[in-house]
Amino acid sequence: MPATPVLSQLPSYEVIKTIAQSLKAVSVVRMLEQEPNRAAEFTLTAAGLQLDYSKHLLDVQARQALLQLAEEAKLPAAIAGLLAGEELNNTEQRPALHTLLRASSGGSLGSKFDEVVAARASMRQWADQLNAGELRGFSGSVITDVVNIGIGGSDLGPRLVTEALRPFHGSVACHYVANVDPADLQNTLLSLQAETTLFILCSKSFRTEETLTNSLVAREWMKQSGATDADLNKHFVAITSNLQAAADFGIPEENCLPLWDWVGGRYSVWSAIGLSCAIAIGWENFELFLAGAAAMDEHFQSAPLAENMPVMMSLLEVWYVNFFGANNHVVLPYDHSLQKLPDFLQQLTMESNGKRVNKSGELLDYHTGPVLWGSAGTMGQHSFHQLLHQGTQQCPADFILPLTTHTGMTEQHRRLVANCIAQSRTMTVGRSIDEAKSSLLERGMDEASAGELAPHLSMPGNRPNSVITMASLAPQTLGALLALYEHRTFCSAVLWGINPFDQWGVELGKEIGVQVLGLMAGESSSGSMDTATERLIGEWLAEQ
Ligand code: F6P
């Protein structure tokens, strides 16, 4: 394996540190005043999305230096390698070919692409038949509800797409169960009839505790509701790369849709893992969703670094994490139907880039992926935006704003848009102590009281934020948006020298979970557990 570039040893690293230091004292408002074309010049468009990054602590020199850093980290070659199917996931010896799942041709990856095309045909058949009311359950009634049982990448993507594209829904209702907490499945089943319900068991590995546990309970529920063993194939479908385990569970081959080891869970919504959302929005819309992502892939592949939207967003991420000490990133969709976007992006970015050694296994001397968080619409303004505006931590923000609404309620939507634009501006301009004091005096407050209160009202501004706009939230634009963040995540991993496609950090917890379960069932710990853990297990046992 070629040596991994180390960010802190790249020639531009120290230069950028100095530039960042000088920009800490610069006002973004001043830059916007002094550079009349800044808003236009710091805006990129791609695949139906527009990124305005003019309100960042960034000038032309800093941007140039970051682009140079990307060249030094060999980002262009890495992008080409990703799209060509090179074995970039070096700890698991695999390529990461999620882009092939939305491609319209396979190029040199022909045989893999043929499998993708066959899987799409199978998905289409299930989606079309369900939407046409052609599939019937054990009693002969038409299937009306689909329950996706999966977790992580086998849940978050399909759940997000289904929720985000509600205006495109057909006649089948899709539900999602992920948590091993029995309340999740139980609550979902409350509103369902077994005879009209189809379960999609969504698990790449078909070994995931939560999914298998919920699937067994769902099967039992189906039987208790009157289905015989022979009826079960009318009610269970599996999406997996582990066909044997699905067969052992009792899913016949014709009810299994494939997945491949070259698709990471958090990058899998484009595959058969997305079957539930393809059913919800119908096959034609799912194809548009794929096409939107493919348009972003095309941009990612062909746009020069300086005009490349995922690259620029990644450079901004590295800029704040490594040169300004930011430890988090907030995503603020101003569209209620994108409520689940932060959850999806948490897995995408934090499972990918929450790493502390580089691709060669060497401990890093700089930070990698930040905490990602956020919530939709104006609700956050009445809770955590206080910290965005006046807190001591820096929280670089992405505002995401569809410019029209599917609701038909344009006046209410106008208010939503106004709030988004206002919050972005407020983070940028802030309010000085003098301005705060003047406004208090104007409102009739006396000089002394205004002087005392003004520091509490002042806000530093200069809080970096991007605004991503789109004409409307539709299958294509949603596809492009998710692909944008996938590629941003990949670029940041390349700059940090880490592998974004493995997730070894989740494994130890699973192993210890099995040990704990054993102790809860009465196995002896023989001193293998720490005393705090033993005490907690004891507390649980005492309540049983
Ligand atoms: O444990 C983490 C993880 O492997 C994720 O990467 C994945 O998306 C999720 O679990 C579900 O895995 P599976 O699809 O194999 O059930």
Side-chain angles (χ1 to χ4, degrees), residues 74-184:
K74 302 192 172 32
L75 184 58
I79 294 172
L82 173 78
L83 300 173
E86 280 177 18
E87 208 175 272
L88 297 184
N89 181 352
N90 63 309
T91 62
E92 296 177 307
Q93 296 86 45
R94 305 167 180 168
L97 272 172
H98 41 284
T99 50
L100 192 66
L101 299 169
R102 55 237 191 181
S104 49
S105 63
S108 61
L109 300 163
S111 61
K112 287 192 172 73
F113 186 65
D114 292 345
E115 292 181 57
V116 169
V117 171
R120 276 185 207 159
S122 187
M123 286 174 77
R124 175 180 199 153
Q125 202 177 3
W126 281 98
D128 284 352
Q129 284 185 337
L130 280 159
N131 277 301
E134 288 170 8
L135 294 188
R136 292 173 188 274
F138 65 84
S139 70
S141 299
V142 171
I143 299 286
T144 53
D145 291 86
V146 164
V147 181
N148 187 86
I149 300 183
I151 198 162
S154 298
D155 165 70
L156 292 164
R159 190 193 285 260
L160 162 67
V161 174
T162 298
E163 196 165 302
L165 298 178
R166 196 167 289 278
F168 300 84
H169 281 197
S171 54
V172 182
C174 290
H175 314 263
Y176 291 86
V177 171
N179 203 332
V180 77
D181 184 333
D184 194 2

Side-chain angles (χ1 to χ4, degrees), residues 436-454 457:
K437 188 173 169 190
S438 307
S439 83
L440 290 170
L441 291 173
E442 269 167 34
R443 279 191 253 156
M445 192 175 272
D446 65 76
E447 180 77 26
S449 307
E452 265 174 42
L453 194 55
L457 271 60

Side-chain angles (χ1 to χ4, degrees), residues 31 35 73 81 83 148 165 172 197 213 239 249 263 268 279 365 368 376 390 419 455 458 475 483-484 493 524 529 534:
M31 288 198 282
E35 304 160 32
L83 300 173
N148 187 86
L165 298 178
V172 182
T197 299
T213 307
I239 319 291
F249 185 90
V263 182
S268 65
I279 293 166
D365 64 355
T368 59
Q390 285 192 314
N419 272 282
S458 84
L484 168 65
S524 144
M529 286 286 155
E534 275 187 1

Side-chain angles (χ1 to χ4, degrees), residues 196-475:
T196 54
T197 299
L198 176 76
F199 289 97
I200 299 181
L201 313 185
C202 219
S203 176
K204 181 179 164 184
S205 61
F206 223 83
R207 275 197 287 262
T208 305
E209 181 188 16
E210 293 87 339
T211 304
L212 294 185
T213 307
N214 280 322
S215 298
L216 286 169
V217 176
R219 190 171 66 181
E220 209 37 49
W221 177 73
M222 190 58 74
K223 284 186 178 178
Q224 280 173 9
S225 307
T228 63
D229 281 344
D231 290 327
L232 292 178
N233 62 356
K234 298 191 179 98
H235 294 277
F236 287 87
V237 169
I239 319 291
T240 187
S241 61
N242 188 350
L243 294 173
Q244 186 54 52
D248 294 346
F249 185 90
I251 312 280
E253 207 181 320
E254 63 275 17
N255 282 22
C256 289
L257 281 79
L259 193 64
W260 307 276
D261 66 358
W262 41 266
V263 182
R266 52 198 174 274
Y267 301 88
S268 65
V269 64
W270 326 98
S271 71
I273 293 287
L275 178 62
S276 58
C277 54
I279 293 166
I281 63 177
W283 184 254
E284 281 72 24
N285 285 319
F286 190 76
E287 278 193 326
L288 292 173
F289 171 66
L290 297 183
M296 182 55 74
D297 297 341
E298 159 60 22
H299 164 83
F300 185 49
Q301 179 168 36
S302 58
L305 291 187
E307 291 158 33
N308 198 308
M309 196 182 284
V311 169
M312 194 51 68
M313 284 175 62
S314 157
L315 289 172
L316 286 166
E317 179 171 43
V318 168
W319 176 238
Y320 291 115
V321 167
N322 300 104
F323 301 99
F324 287 78
N327 63 5
N328 76 102
H329 184 87
V330 61
V331 176
L332 304 166
Y334 273 68
D335 189 309
H336 200 66
S337 53
L338 286 175
Q339 267 191 98
K340 293 283 183 295
L341 182 66
D343 291 2
F344 172 82
L345 293 179
Q346 272 176 349
Q347 189 202 15
L348 173 64
T349 63
M350 293 162 75
E351 200 173 61
S352 296
N353 288 346
K355 309 283 163 68
R356 58 200 288 278
V357 297
N358 70 8
K359 288 186 85 171
S360 312
E362 294 151 350
L363 202 58
L364 298 169
D365 64 355
Y366 47 82
H367 286 296
T368 59
V371 172
L372 187 144
W373 59 291
S375 82
T378 64
M379 279 105 76
Q381 292 173 209
H382 300 274
S383 76
F384 59 77
H385 281 228
Q386 164 64 33
L387 185 145
L388 300 185
H389 295 304
Q390 285 192 314
T392 53
Q393 307 271 355
Q394 196 177 42
C395 309
D398 289 348
F399 289 93
I400 296 174
L401 180 63
L403 297 170
T404 55
T405 175
H406 292 287
T407 61
M409 300 168 78
T410 50
E411 174 48 34
Q412 192 164 345
H413 187 251
R414 200 194 321 266
R415 290 173 187 276
L416 177 73
V417 175
N419 272 282
C420 178
I421 296 173
Q423 287 297 311
S424 168
R425 173 171 159 74
T426 308
M427 284 182 77
T428 305
V429 300
R431 176 164 57 188
S432 69
I433 293 189
D434 285 349
E435 285 166 342
K437 188 173 169 190
S438 307
S439 83
L440 290 170
L441 291 173
E442 269 167 34
R443 279 191 253 156
M445 192 175 272
D446 65 76
E447 180 77 26
S449 307
E452 265 174 42
L453 194 55
H456 299 277
L457 271 60
S458 84
M459 300 157 66
N462 250 12
R463 304 260 151 141
N465 66 90
S466 298
V467 184
I468 298 171
T469 50
M470 63 196 82
S472 70
L473 184 63

